[in-house]
Amino acid sequence: MKDSYIWICIIVSGIVSYIIRVMPLTLIRKPITDRFIRSFLYYVPYVTLSVMTFPAIMLATESMISGIAALLVGVILAYQEKGLPVVASACCMTVFILELFLR
């Protein structure tokens, strides 16, 4: 009984996931011309990435202070249009140095 329930759950979640991905392809045939919808769809990936990574930034370190400091360093460097390797390295170094001093 338990095995069949697990398989049913996997199949149903796969079908639902497939439908969510296929529906826009089948329903929207023409280019989207509405300015609001186009701008909304433009920002969806950025918002999704932010929502997924922001809690991890705060909770991935031993101290929330080092997480907040790394976030601030990353935002400042990204605002100055530094590349991803520079921003990521600076954030990692910020956490490393602050964790050494906060112990």
Side-chain angles (χ1 to χ4, degrees):
M1 178 68 183
K2 221 175 199 185
D3 288 338
S4 63
Y5 177 75
I6 292 172
W7 281 108
I8 290 172
C9 288
I10 291 172
I11 291 169
V12 168
S13 64
I15 292 170
V16 169
S17 178
Y18 181 76
I19 288 172
I20 289 172
R21 286 175 173 80
V22 170
M23 288 285 281
L25 295 174
T26 58
L27 295 178
I28 303 172
R29 295 285 182 181
K30 296 182 263 180
I32 299 171
T33 57
D34 186 22
R35 193 170 155 198
F36 176 76
I37 294 175
R38 285 179 61 91
S39 66
F40 175 78
L41 293 174
Y42 178 79
Y43 288 109
V44 166
Y46 299 111
V47 171
T48 305
L49 183 62
S50 300
V51 168
M52 290 184 339
T53 57
F54 185 75
I57 292 170
M58 297 295 145
L59 302 174
T61 61
E62 289 211 12
S63 168
M64 193 176 282
I65 294 170
S66 60
I68 293 170
L71 175 66
L72 291 174
V73 167
V75 167
I76 290 169
L77 291 176
Y79 187 73
Q80 294 175 351
E81 297 182 358
K82 303 295 181 190
L84 181 60
V86 173
V87 173
S89 300
C91 292
C92 290
M93 290 303 296
T94 302
V95 170
F96 180 72
I97 291 169
L98 282 176
E99 291 290 327
L100 284 177
F101 289 116
L102 290 175
R103 286 188 182 178

